[in-house]
Amino acid sequence: MKHLPLGTALLAALAAPVMAEDITVGFAIAKSGWMEAYDSPAATAAKIRIDEINAGGGLLGGQIKWIESDTRTDRAEAAKAGLDLVDQGAQMLVVSCDYDFGAPSALVAEGEGMNSFFLCAEDVKAGIQGVGPNAFSASVLAPVQGATMAEWAYAKREARAAYVLEDTFIEYNKGICTGFDWMFPRLEGAAIVGRDTFKNDDASIASQITRIKELDEEPDVIMLCSVMPGAAAAVRQIRAAGINALILNGSAVDGSYWLDATPDLSGFVVPVQGSIYGDDPRPEVEAFNAAYEKATGARPASQYAYPGYVLIDLWAKAVERAGTVEGAAVTAALEAMTDEPTSFGPRSFSAQLHHQNTALMQIIEITSGKPARVDEWRISEPVPMDVLIAK
């Protein structure tokens, strides 16, 4: 065997191209249990963005690979899933949409100094406040949704009297009401004229409806802070009682899948990050809807696919700017983002908040059983940190 002189061999080695390493993203998500309905669409959207980035040349010269582990909608399994993915070489974790079910996985990443992104969590604890400095969510906080509904209804529907009806099932519901409670009374001449609570699985809210009907005048709006299936049951009972006030809610009830339970519903409004109905004015949104349909055979069922796409987009930009996937460096690059453009509107992070406390929201109204985009709104000021934390 012929050997090259040492100097020649060294020069040849230096001249050889250095192959960039692939980057591995781990998905600790629910592939079974009730959280699967939220995690699966957002994870699919995240993978669509990964495929786009890879097709465009990849990230830091390599390709993005992804691996998965099923949390089974179980907190103990979520921690195991996070550990499993780290053992397999994950360099960033994407975790379940909900704070309670995603935090165990995110805490594993935090312990390794890695970044984590919640798929679509809208509780402030799904970030610095509940996990640590390297945890983020690209979704819009629940209080922002409530505040958006308050200001939009005041400005566009002349709402001055509101009744707040809060479902005590999960923290998300409380967050919607927190934002509404903060914003609405700040508006000149606006007042909350009554409030009540119910449980998501209550068979009847007859007593709450009676208290609404006992008011001197029907309120202009009812701020219903709820999720399915309780939200649909509450709406059906409110309308059956002859109450025609505009009903507001948060993003969690986006979609037409539940409307059979409330035939010919009108006057129901929600804020969303993008419209699934083909009427969003931004061509990038409809391009994503088409890409999602191509990948899955169906359009997104709700706006909750969108944050998965956005999180990969923002994380990849931060990695490119940092020149590394190392957690602290990527965190610094993310925290430097102010109104960073995305297909679903600008996003910002800071050293104090790894969520969106203001965002451009599309306004969806259901009329005669048909949802459609009717407007867009961005609240006039961010929801303050003390309001978010007090929630």
Side-chain angles (χ1 to χ4, degrees):
M1 180 176 178
K2 183 177 180 181
H3 294 278
L4 292 172
L6 181 59
T8 304
L10 179 61
L11 288 173
L14 290 173
V18 177
M19 300 302 292
E21 294 184 359
D22 289 339
I23 295 170
T24 302
V25 173
F27 286 80
I29 59 172
K31 300 171 71 176
S32 54
W34 68 267
M35 276 298 299
E36 188 274 338
Y38 291 91
D39 286 2
S40 181
T44 297
K47 293 165 190 172
I48 288 172
R49 185 64 187 126
I50 287 173
D51 288 345
E52 291 174 350
I53 292 169
N54 285 339
L59 186 59
L60 299 183
Q63 295 282 286
I64 304 173
K65 301 189 302 181
W66 57 265
I67 53 179
E68 274 185 340
S69 189
D70 187 4
T71 67
R72 301 184 176 90
T73 311
D74 180 275
R75 297 175 194 183
E77 291 296 326
K80 292 178 184 177
L83 290 168
D84 174 50
L85 293 167
V86 170
D87 287 344
Q88 292 186 58
Q91 295 159 287
M92 190 272 274
L93 292 189
V94 176
V95 306
S96 272
C97 186
D98 180 72
Y99 165 71
D100 291 320
F101 292 93
S105 306
L107 286 166
V108 171
E110 195 66 39
E112 297 291 327
M114 293 164 46
N115 291 113
S116 64
F117 260 95
F118 286 78
L119 277 170
C120 52
E122 294 165 352
D123 186 317
V124 71
K125 294 191 295 296
I128 301 169
Q129 286 73 21
V131 176
N134 297 308
F136 292 80
S137 174
S139 203
V140 179
L141 286 164
V144 175
Q145 299 168 30
T148 298
M149 286 289 83
E151 197 170 52
W152 176 84
Y154 178 91
K156 295 301 185 76
R157 298 298 170 86
E158 299 183 354
R160 297 297 182 268
Y163 196 95
V164 175
L165 187 54
E166 180 182 328
D167 173 1
T168 59
F169 176 42
I170 55 174
E171 286 294 306
Y172 168 81
N173 299 339
K174 182 179 178 181
I176 303 170
C177 280
T178 295
F180 188 89
D181 289 345
W182 167 71
M183 176 64 83
F184 198 69
R186 295 163 59 86
L187 304 171
E188 184 177 357
I192 295 173
V193 297
R195 60 188 322 115
D196 222 324
T197 63
F198 70 104
K199 295 180 180 179
N200 193 267
D201 58 359
D202 283 347
S204 170
I205 60 166
S207 58
Q208 292 89 337
I209 287 173
T210 296
R211 286 187 282 273
I212 296 173
K213 292 179 73 71
E214 287 175 345
L215 294 171
D216 292 338
E217 294 183 7
E218 183 174 284
D220 299 316
V221 294
I222 295 173
M223 183 67 242
L224 176 64
C225 308
S226 185
V227 295
M228 297 302 165
V235 169
R236 183 173 62 250
Q237 292 175 67
I238 290 168
R239 288 293 187 253
I243 298 172
N244 297 312
L246 190 69
I247 302 174
L248 313 173
N249 208 327
S251 303
V253 294
D254 180 37
S256 60
Y257 61 92
W258 59 277
L259 292 178
D260 287 346
T262 55
D264 299 319
L265 175 65
S266 290
F268 185 90
V269 183
V270 298
V272 297
Q273 296 173 54
S275 176
I276 64 174
Y277 306 107
D279 52 7
D280 198 293
R282 298 163 296 185
E284 301 93 337
V285 174
E286 190 54 29
F288 169 82
N289 291 337
Y292 189 93
E293 184 173 17
K294 182 177 180 181
T296 67
R299 291 170 66 87
S302 83
Q303 66 111 49
Y304 278 100
Y306 300 150
Y309 186 91
V310 173
L311 79 85
I312 292 295
D313 186 51
L314 295 174
W315 171 76
K317 288 178 180 177
V319 168
E320 286 284 4
R321 293 168 191 177
T324 177
V325 294
E326 192 272 325
V330 175
T331 290
L334 286 164
E335 290 177 347
M337 291 181 175
T338 300
D339 285 339
E340 185 72 28
T342 80
S343 296
F344 300 92
R347 295 290 183 267
S348 303
F349 299 111
S350 71
Q352 291 76 43
L353 186 64
H354 288 177
H355 291 264
Q356 307 309 303
N357 63 349
T358 180
L360 178 67
M361 304 296 284
Q362 304 302 307
I363 308 301
I364 304 297
E365 182 167 5
I366 296 170
T367 303
S368 300
K370 302 293 184 182
R373 177 193 178 275
V374 295
D375 207 348
E376 64 184 27
W377 195 263
R378 184 168 184 163
I379 52 176
S380 57
E381 58 182 301
V383 179
M385 183 65 73
D386 61 342
V387 174
L388 298 175
I389 294 174
K391 179 196 75 62

